[in-house]
Amino acid sequence: MGARDSGVFVVVEGPEGAGKSTLARWLGVRLTAEGLPVVTVRQPGGTPVAEAARKVALRFPHEMSPAAELFLFLAARADLVFRVIRPALEAGQVVVADRFDLSTLAYQVAGAGLPADDVARAIRLATGGLVPDLTVVLDVPVDVGRARQRAARKVQDRIERQDDAFHRRVLDAYRRATGPGVVHIDATQSKKAVQDAAWREVMAVTALSTRGVS
Ligand code: Z5A
């Protein structure tokens, strides 16, 4: 079920304010400059259904059960994978995603306390078992990420308004993440240093390094 053709799937993960969107955008521009066909997506979002689910998951002004929240994020992911990510990979493109499954394991399992096995099964149903070739986890302490968001004048969403203990559990989950293709980068470094470190990993999975690109 997880199989697909020749594309490459790169995911950028990490807590709020880690620099995911900044890095995902930069990777998109850099890969395009190297002549590769690139699709850049963020989650939740990217299709009409996913954008509608995003609005409810992040902006709904009333209480919501953890399971309801989970299914909103997974509804968004299912539609994005089905309509955008899988077709792009099947067409041989590079897909760069700002967040994917690791976000759900960090926020809804470690943060909100939903059972890991059940969530893993629900994720597989939503994505058909699609696994990234590379997951770049950007690591920043909670207070550094928050300070960056404040400086960028970001309006807090429902999840960001959770307490400090929730956000520490999320960060711990990211720090413990391991598996094929998972790499951790110290994102307290300059943007340039983070981009250089991520680019080395991306070159390896896109085989750009074997074409002499540095
Ligand atoms: N969520 C979930 O619970 N479950 C799921 O399954 C999924 C998501 C998929 C999505 O929020 C929310 O959904 C998220 C988790 C939840 N909420 N929380 N918490 P979003 O898409 O609106 O936002 P975000 O992912 O939290 O992004 P963010 O706050 O924008 O963070 P970021 O993308 O990592 O950071 P950035 O926008 O690239 O950078 C923030 C600022 O820092 C900006 O001014 C940059 O110029 C600056 N920056 C970036 N890198 C650096 C470095 N290296 N040094 C200094 N300054 C930097």
Side-chain angles (χ1 to χ4, degrees), residues 14-23 25 42-44 54 58-59 69 73-74 77 98-105 107-108 138 145 148-149 151-152 154 157 159-161 166-167 187-192 194:
E16 302 86 80
K20 298 175 298 298
S21 315
T22 304
L23 179 61
R25 267 196 311 273
R42 70 156 181 190
Q43 287 174 58
R54 177 186 177 92
L58 300 184
R59 303 279 168 226
E69 183 184 274
F73 285 117
L74 293 189
R77 187 163 317 144
D98 181 347
R99 295 191 182 276
F100 197 61
D101 294 349
L102 207 45
S103 286
T104 314
L105 300 176
Y107 288 89
Q108 279 67 53
L138 299 182
R148 285 180 185 174
Q149 287 184 320
K154 187 176 183 206
D157 63 44
I159 313 278
E160 284 159 352
R161 286 195 293 273
F166 176 97
H167 289 288
T188 62
Q189 304 177 90
S190 68
K191 288 182 192 175
K192 169 85 170 60
V194 172

Side-chain angles (χ1 to χ4, degrees), residues 44 51-60 64 68-70 72-73 157-159:
E51 290 296 334
R54 177 186 177 92
K55 209 166 157 189
V56 182
L58 300 184
R59 303 279 168 226
F60 195 59
M64 186 183 300
E69 183 184 274
L70 168 75
L72 287 168
F73 285 117
D157 63 44
R158 280 185 55 254
I159 313 278

Side-chain angles (χ1 to χ4, degrees), residues 16-18 139-150 187-189:
E16 302 86 80
D139 186 296
V140 286
V142 172
D143 55 337
V144 173
R146 287 233 176 102
R148 285 180 185 174
Q149 287 184 320
R150 273 198 303 277
T188 62
Q189 304 177 90

